[in-house]
Amino acid sequence: MIIGTDPASLLRLSLRANAWFSGASGLAFLVAANPIGVFLGLDAPWIIRALGIGLLLYALWLIMISRRPVLHSHEVWSAIALDGAWVFGSALMLIAGPIPLTLQGKWAVGIAADTVAMVAGLQMFGWFRYHAALLFADSEGSQQHY
């Protein structure tokens, strides 16, 4: 699908990019929980595995919603809100320091949070573009619903 031919293409692409990033991270967390824990400075691999499972489930959900013929606002905004919660939680972890992360761990958390924030921004922009196209189509007599 080429961006520009379908008003939902950017939104679908950003949801799928989010799914790939979340899925790859989740798989890495499951497979390499111990080394990732050492890298981060977290001596609780079960937490990393639990995050991995959550990220894999999130990735599957994102793929599911991105494949629907009509994208629903409550699902898209739920994804954006969850990404925002991840970024906020990461910032709290870096600022408040409830977990004594290594310097490398702090950088990894910060880079991951920046990546999630950029993808959430793309999802927001994609949603507004999609929504504007639907409103324009409705004003011309189309029967699409959103």
Side-chain angles (χ1 to χ4, degrees):
M1 184 178 307
I2 299 172
I3 294 177
T5 59
D6 173 18
S9 60
L10 178 61
L11 178 54
R12 291 182 198 286
L13 181 65
S14 60
L15 288 167
R16 289 176 185 154
N18 192 349
W20 279 103
F21 181 68
S22 298
S25 299
L27 188 59
F29 282 12
L30 279 177
V31 172
N34 289 331
I36 289 173
V38 170
F39 177 80
L40 294 174
L42 182 62
D43 190 27
W46 67 270
I47 293 174
I48 295 169
R49 284 189 191 95
L51 277 173
I53 291 168
L55 286 169
L56 285 171
L57 292 172
Y58 183 58
L60 290 172
W61 178 69
L62 288 169
I63 291 293
M64 182 187 74
I65 67 171
S66 74
R67 293 179 148 212
R68 295 206 173 137
V70 175
L71 297 168
H72 302 287
S73 63
H74 67 280
E75 292 175 331
V76 172
W77 284 103
S78 293
I80 293 167
L82 288 169
D83 291 339
W86 182 276
V87 172
F88 182 74
S90 297
L92 280 178
M93 189 180 332
L94 293 173
I95 294 168
I99 300 170
L101 297 173
T102 63
L103 180 60
Q104 308 92 292
K106 290 177 182 178
W107 275 100
V109 168
I111 291 168
D114 285 346
T115 303
V116 171
M118 285 188 293
V119 171
L122 274 174
Q123 289 169 164
M124 287 175 63
F125 180 72
W127 171 253
F128 286 120
R129 182 176 167 205
Y130 175 58
H131 188 68
L134 291 177
L135 289 175
F136 181 73
D138 279 348
S139 70
E140 292 185 346
S142 175
Q143 294 299 320
Q144 293 181 333
H145 301 320
Y146 48 94

